[in-house]
Amino acid sequence: MIIPSKTIGIIGGGQLGQMMAQSAKEKGFVVGILDPSEDCPAAQVSDWHIVAEYDDEAAVNTLASQSDVLTYEFENVNATVLEPYEQQGKLPQGTELLKISQNRQLEKEFLVKHDIPVAPFNIVSSFDELKEACKKIGFPSVLKTIVGGYDGKGQVVLKSESDMDKCRDLLDQAICILEKWVSFEKEVSVIISNNLAGEVSVFPLAENKHVNNILFTSIAPARVSQVCEKKAVGLAKRISQELRACGTIAIEMFVTDGEEILVNEIAPRPHNSGHYTIESCSISQFDAHILGICQWAMPTVELLSPAIMVNLIGDEQTKAIAQVSEKGYWHFHFYGKKVEKPGRKMGHITILSNSVSETLEDIHRQDIWK
């Protein structure tokens, strides 16, 4: 067990690392960050900061030597660089989940192996293979690189055969996966946290909406039947157990119109769709992550209030700041990023509400998101 006054080293200094660090500091830990940006969000709330690339072996070794436990805030970390620290017992999350989640082929093969329902897919590495795969998968479908890519980057949607030529550049860059486009009723996610003793904390199912491939809103609890929620949570627990997960992970899923569930992706760390937990639950996903990696007891999560989380992308932050004197019941989170860029997550707002429909109407009336 890692006790207060010990040091947690976090690889990655974005907003997830920032919120991890804040939870860790509340529990009495020293926090160190490794990130190439001098003024990254996590460094602003941590004790010390190593300015280096994520795969800089010497820098990671320095972080590890000064830390009692290591974690990471995103999956694009070089797993090979971290393997020695798994062997030393400093990386309780291990590297298996990291390797699986950063490679869509390995991720899908893992899910299929364990009888987890997924959309039909084919691995393709050439245009000829794409043509054959399209005959099997059909249209619409989506082509994604098997590594890298997020928030819609590194993928092409194919609505018909005429879209296939758009895929040539992507296929020239990397091996890809072609997935059947799922006709879904809802997108949902389960946030689940574990320690190495097998104790688990499960958060309420969140209902997610994306705009331009970036998460726009998360509603908790999700507006699905109890049967559907139980099925989603059951799948998440199975995945977590099979992966021997430690800390917080997120499993994104599709719910079809018949309330069947297909698993889409696994994130090996706290997730954007779990930000609502900070205000609406008895503990946050970040608290649970720190508890898990430090081998503390894992509590039962209680939903204190239904909530809607809304992302602030690009210049939406500036528009939201203008509302801080008007919206006393909104919970504003600004990440401390100095430059607003299109598509960049600058912050989020969580609104506790017993009327999801009224709150959604209020959100859509605001100039912030227009």
Side-chain angles (χ1 to χ4, degrees), residues 217-352:
T217 57
S218 289
I219 300 169
R223 296 169 294 178
V224 298
S225 70
Q226 290 183 346
V227 171
C228 181
E229 181 172 15
K230 185 176 180 180
K231 194 183 301 182
V233 170
L235 287 172
K237 285 183 175 179
R238 277 179 55 199
I239 291 168
S240 179
Q241 286 178 332
E242 294 292 348
L243 289 168
R244 299 184 295 279
C246 181
T248 294
I249 70 171
I251 297 99
E252 296 180 86
M253 308 174 182
F254 297 123
V255 179
T256 69
D257 56 5
E259 289 205 326
E260 293 301 314
I261 291 181
L262 299 174
V263 172
N264 183 33
E265 291 184 349
I266 304 168
R269 37 72 182 172
H271 193 258
N272 195 169
S273 67
H275 291 349
Y276 76 90
T277 63
I278 297 171
E279 282 85 21
S280 74
C281 292
S282 51
I283 64 167
S284 76
Q285 63 167 340
F286 302 100
D287 295 331
H289 182 71
I290 299 302
L291 297 180
I293 65 169
C294 292
Q295 311 316 316
W296 290 23
M298 302 302 296
T300 299
V301 178
E302 296 181 22
L303 181 68
L304 304 178
S305 170
I308 300 177
M309 186 284 303
V310 198
N311 265 332
L312 296 171
I313 309 297
D315 65 359
E316 291 170 356
Q317 173 185 240
T318 297
K319 297 173 184 177
I321 289 172
Q323 293 293 320
V324 298
S325 62
E326 303 292 332
K327 303 291 188 181
Y329 56 96
W330 286 9
H331 297 269
F332 294 89
H333 295 258
F334 300 111
Y335 303 148
K337 297 178 181 179
K338 304 304 183 201
V339 180
E340 295 179 346
K341 298 178 182 177
R344 191 180 198 193
K345 294 171 184 171
M346 303 298 295
H348 72 269
I349 295 168
T350 299
I351 306 168
L352 305 183

Side-chain angles (χ1 to χ4, degrees), residues 69-216:
V69 64
L70 294 175
T71 187
Y72 45 81
E73 68 132 15
F74 71 138
E75 52 267 46
N76 292 325
V77 179
N78 190 321
T80 302
V81 172
L82 296 184
E83 284 176 348
Y85 311 106
E86 177 183 8
Q87 295 162 11
Q88 294 171 20
K90 282 195 171 185
L91 188 72
Q93 293 161 275
T95 57
E96 181 185 10
L97 170 57
L98 188 60
K99 291 174 182 176
I100 289 172
S101 62
Q102 62 191 200
N103 184 303
R104 290 186 174 94
Q105 180 176 357
L106 296 180
E107 185 177 60
K108 287 290 192 291
E109 290 172 350
F110 164 82
L111 293 169
V112 169
K113 177 183 176 181
H114 294 285
D115 297 319
I116 305 294
V118 298
F121 68 93
N122 262 86
I123 304 301
V124 296
S125 56
S126 69
F127 192 75
D128 285 340
E129 289 183 2
L130 175 64
K131 288 191 289 186
E132 290 302 312
C134 285
K135 291 177 184 177
K136 298 175 185 176
I137 301 295
F139 301 101
S141 54
V142 57
L143 186 73
K144 305 174 183 178
T145 55
I146 64 168
V147 296
Y150 62 95
D151 290 343
K153 299 177 177 68
Q155 62 181 257
V156 177
V157 175
L158 292 84
K159 296 180 181 179
S160 67
E161 189 174 344
S162 62
D163 291 323
M164 290 175 60
D165 275 339
K166 300 176 185 177
C167 300
R168 292 184 183 274
D169 287 344
L170 207 60
L171 287 165
D172 287 342
Q173 297 169 26
I175 298 173
C176 295
I177 183 170
L178 182 72
E179 298 177 10
K180 185 174 180 61
W181 186 270
V182 175
S183 178
F184 58 85
E185 185 71 20
K186 286 183 171 67
E187 294 177 89
V188 298
S189 56
V190 179
I191 308 293
I192 186 168
S193 307
N194 300 263
N195 62 18
L196 291 178
E199 297 175 345
V200 60
S201 297
V202 183
F203 291 87
L205 189 67
E207 175 186 338
N208 306 316
K209 179 181 178 181
H210 291 76
V211 175
N212 297 324
N213 296 304
I214 300 174
L215 184 65
F216 175 46

